[in-house]
Amino acid sequence: MPDDVIDALPGALARARDELAPGDPAEVLAAVTTLASRRGFPLPDDIALELDIEVMASWPRDLWRKAFRAVWEQFSYRRLPEPADFRRHIAADLDERRARLDRLESLRLKLETVRLKRQWDEEARSRRARAGWRGR
C-alpha cells in the first residue's frame, strides 16, 4: 500500500464520519411543525412526534434538508409525512455515505492487522535471537 494512501486514511475517515454527523433535532422539529401548519395537518401524539424527530435528526443535516425540500415540493397525500416519506428521497445518498465509511473502516482495520502482525513477528524474532534460537 502506498504511503500517501496510508497517510490520507485518517483524514478520509474523519470526512466520512463528518458526512454522517447527525442533524439538529430543533431544526427538524421546526420544519415538521411548519409543514404541518402550512398544510393543515395535525401533529402526531407526543411520543410519535418525538420518535419521528429523533429518527430524522439522526440523518446528516444536508440530507435532511434535501429530503425536506423534496417532500415540501412533491408530497401530495392528505396526512403528515412520516420519516419513511422523507427517507425515500435520500436513501441512496445515506446508503452510499455509510458504505464509504464502512469501506474506509475496513481498510483501516486491515492495515492495523498488517502492522500488528509485523510488530508481533519482529518481537518473536527478537525473543528468538535473545534466546539463542538458530532455527534448527
Side-chain angles (χ1 to χ4, degrees):
M1 177 97 23
D3 286 340
D4 57 334
V5 172
I6 293 171
D7 293 342
L9 185 59
L13 273 164
R15 282 188 299 282
R17 287 185 188 112
D18 286 347
E19 288 179 350
L20 284 169
D24 177 11
E27 179 182 11
V28 175
L29 178 59
V32 170
T33 303
T34 299
L35 179 64
S37 174
R38 172 77 184 260
R39 303 263 176 107
F41 298 140
L43 288 172
D45 62 27
D46 289 344
I47 190 73
L49 181 60
E50 184 179 323
L51 191 53
D52 286 353
I53 300 307
E54 183 179 319
V55 167
M56 293 186 286
S58 73
W59 304 332
R61 183 176 187 260
D62 66 312
L63 293 184
W64 153 249
R65 292 178 65 87
K66 177 182 178 181
F68 183 76
R69 181 180 177 109
V71 165
W72 187 272
E73 292 176 357
Q74 301 169 17
F75 196 77
S76 60
Y77 297 104
R78 294 179 187 255
R79 63 169 175 77
L80 186 65
E82 298 177 357
D85 298 312
F86 289 92
R87 191 178 193 289
R88 124 182 21 185
H89 296 285
I90 60 169
D93 296 319
L94 198 52
D95 291 345
E96 177 190 329
R97 289 183 188 187
R98 287 180 177 152
R100 182 181 317 123
L101 179 58
D102 289 346
R103 286 190 306 270
L104 289 168
E105 278 292 339
S106 178
L107 178 58
R108 183 190 66 75
L109 290 171
K110 287 175 184 177
L111 290 172
E112 180 65 10
T113 300
V114 168
R115 185 191 69 75
L116 287 172
K117 185 177 181 323
R118 286 180 181 162
Q119 176 185 334
W120 295 332
D121 287 349
E122 182 56 37
E123 289 170 359
R125 279 192 290 278
S126 294
R127 279 192 305 272
R128 280 186 241 133
R130 283 192 309 269
W133 187 78
R134 301 188 193 283
R136 294 182 205 176

